[in-house]
Amino acid sequence: MSHQLDRYLVPEDVLNLPNALILMLGAPGSGKTRTSRMFPPDIVLRADDLRTLCAGDPGSQQAEGPVWQALDTILTARLGLGLRTAIDATNAEKGYRQKLVLAGRSHGAPVVALVMGTAPSVAQTRNAARPANRQVPADIAADLHAQIVAAHPYLDKEGFDYVVFAESLPVLGTALERLVEEERAAELIADVHRTFGAAAAELFDWETPSRDPRFSTGVFGAGGESLRVRWMDDGNPFDRRFEVLVSCATDWCPGPAWTPVRSVAELAAAHSNHPFDDSRCVVCDS
C-alpha cells in the first residue's frame, strides 16, 4: 500500500498526520516520555505502561515477551483503523525498528522517526535519578545512545518517511495547550479531583444543579451503594468544603446529617457511619 509524501510539511504537521506511525528514538533519560506529553494520551503506546499492566511494575524485565506482543497487537489494530500512533520506547535496535516500519508501510501509514537530541550526560543524569526499578545500567544506556547516533544518518534508508528532532518542536507549549483543554473539560469535577483524587472522581457524578448558588450536590456511587455529598461555598475562601450525608448522631433522631469530608479516608469513614467530624443534623437544625 503506497502513499504520497509531502516533503514541504513542517515538523508539527508531520506529527499531526492523522494516520502517522511515530517511533520515538532515544536512550533512557533522553526525554521521550516528556516529549510524548504533546500527544493526546490515547495515541501513545508506552512500553513502561504495558510492563505495569503485564507485570505490575513499569521497570520489570520479567514479562518482556508479553509486553512486546501486547504492543504489536495494539499497534496492528490501530494501524488497521488508520489511527495516528506514537510509540514511546528506545527503538534503538535496528531489527525491531524495521519490523515497525514494515507494519506502518503495509497499512499505508507515513512512518516518522522522532529523535531525541538530548546530550548523553543529561540523559545519564536523569536515568540515575530514577527509582531503582526504572534505572537502566549506565553502560547499557550508553550503548543504546550510540546505536541511535549511528543509525540517524541512515533512517531514511530504513524506510522512514520523515525524521524529526524533538528539539525542533514546540513540545512544552503544545503539551501545555493540550493540558489546558483537558483542564477546561475537567473543570466541573476539578474540586472532586483536588479533594479526593482522580480514582475517586471516577466514582462521582454531579446531580442537577442546585438553585442555591452556595452549594452543589453529587453522588459517589458503585454497584448498589451511594454516598451523597455537597460542595459548600458560602463566599469564604477559607471555608470551602465538601460535606457528606450521614445518619444523625442523636439516637432518637432518624434524620440525616451533614459532616465535612476532606479525603478519601474520611469518605470511607462516613460510608461506614463513623465520620471523623461532628455532624450537623438536617432535622435537628431545622
Side-chain angles (χ1 to χ4, degrees):
M1 201 170 182
S2 61
H3 53 270
Q4 294 288 327
L5 297 181
D6 186 344
R7 295 297 181 183
Y8 297 99
L9 288 175
V10 298
E12 298 95 303
D13 290 339
V14 167
L15 297 182
N16 284 318
L17 291 170
N19 62 333
L21 172 58
I22 303 161
L23 305 189
M24 307 183 77
L25 276 68
S30 60
K32 297 184 299 299
T33 298
R34 290 189 184 195
T35 299
S36 73
R37 302 299 184 198
M38 69 185 298
F39 301 119
D42 60 292
I43 81 162
V44 181
L45 301 184
R46 189 169 289 118
D48 286 355
D49 291 347
L50 293 171
R51 290 189 185 98
T52 301
L53 289 172
C54 291
D57 179 353
S60 174
Q61 302 299 309
Q62 297 179 344
E64 285 297 276
V67 163
W68 296 111
Q69 289 172 11
L71 190 147
D72 290 344
T73 299
I74 297 169
L75 175 61
T76 298
R78 292 185 62 85
L79 290 173
L81 294 170
L83 299 176
R84 181 169 57 132
T85 305
I87 297 180
D88 176 0
T90 56
N91 291 313
E93 201 272 310
K94 181 179 179 180
Y96 188 62
R97 280 199 309 273
Q98 289 180 327
K99 177 182 176 181
L100 295 175
V101 169
L102 181 60
R105 285 192 164 277
S106 68
H107 287 85
V111 187
V112 184
L114 179 51
V115 183
M116 305 297 114
T118 308
S121 59
V122 174
Q124 289 281 21
T125 299
R126 290 176 179 168
N127 179 49
R130 290 174 170 175
N133 68 325
R134 298 282 307 282
Q135 287 183 26
V136 176
D139 58 333
I140 295 178
D143 180 62
L144 292 169
H145 175 78
Q147 289 184 54
I148 293 168
V149 169
H152 169 248
Y154 309 104
L155 290 175
D156 59 337
K157 294 181 175 61
E158 289 186 18
F160 284 94
D161 298 308
Y162 302 96
V163 178
V164 176
F165 273 92
E167 289 69 24
S168 70
L169 300 167
V171 176
L172 180 60
T174 303
L176 291 176
E177 287 175 9
R178 185 180 60 74
L179 291 172
V180 165
E181 292 178 3
E182 290 184 10
E183 184 179 64
R184 286 171 179 161
E187 277 181 356
L188 291 175
I189 204 166
D191 293 316
V192 181
H193 271 271
R194 278 192 292 269
T195 306
F196 305 110
E202 293 179 358
L203 302 172
F204 182 81
D205 292 295
W206 286 114
E207 294 179 331
T208 303
S210 169
R211 294 180 180 178
D212 189 336
R214 295 177 302 168
F215 63 85
S216 301
T217 58
V219 173
F220 285 94
E225 298 181 290
S226 64
L227 198 60
R228 193 160 182 247
V229 301
R230 67 180 180 184
W231 171 245
M232 299 293 294
D233 183 0
D234 59 4
N236 182 350
F238 301 103
D239 194 31
R240 294 172 180 162
R241 65 193 182 279
F242 277 100
E243 295 182 339
V244 62
L245 202 60
V246 295
S247 299
C248 183
T250 306
D251 292 338
W252 52 265
C253 179
W258 292 103
T259 187
V261 280
R262 295 167 290 268
S263 67
V264 175
E266 294 188 12
L267 274 178
H271 180 256
S272 62
N273 211 34
H274 294 91
F276 286 13
D277 285 274
D278 292 336
S279 55
R280 187 174 70 257
C281 179
V282 176
V283 176
C284 296
D285 286 354
S286 60

